[in-house]
Amino acid sequence: MLPKFNLSELCFQVWKTGYLNKTHRQQIKAALLSDGLNEQDQRLINRLLYAVRRGWLYTSD
């Protein structure tokens, strides 16, 4: 079970490092599968995924 986390903090960490690592991806997946996502959280996730597609952020294992 993954610990509770803040999506805003996760986004900050990802933008700061420029990488979306395995743990970040697992946390995003858990957030998407939960029923507690609000509209702001959905937008944050969409922005991260858009940045990966555009090549502004990279994924690492």
Side-chain angles (χ1 to χ4, degrees):
M1 182 87 183
L2 294 173
K4 281 255 193 209
F5 62 95
N6 183 334
L7 275 174
S8 298
E9 180 63 29
L10 175 102
C11 289
F12 173 75
Q13 290 174 1
V14 170
W15 278 108
K16 184 178 174 184
T17 62
Y19 286 95
L20 193 65
N21 65 28
K22 186 176 181 178
T23 303
H24 296 142
R25 292 192 309 268
Q26 289 174 340
Q27 291 174 333
I28 290 170
K29 182 179 175 180
L32 289 170
L33 293 174
S34 74
D35 293 333
L37 267 185
N38 59 33
E39 188 176 335
Q40 180 182 1
D41 291 340
Q42 289 175 348
R43 276 192 247 133
L44 286 173
I45 292 171
N46 286 337
R47 287 179 187 158
L48 284 177
L49 297 176
Y50 180 77
V52 170
R53 286 193 310 266
R54 298 288 295 173
W56 300 334
L57 295 174
Y58 300 98
T59 59
S60 65
D61 293 331

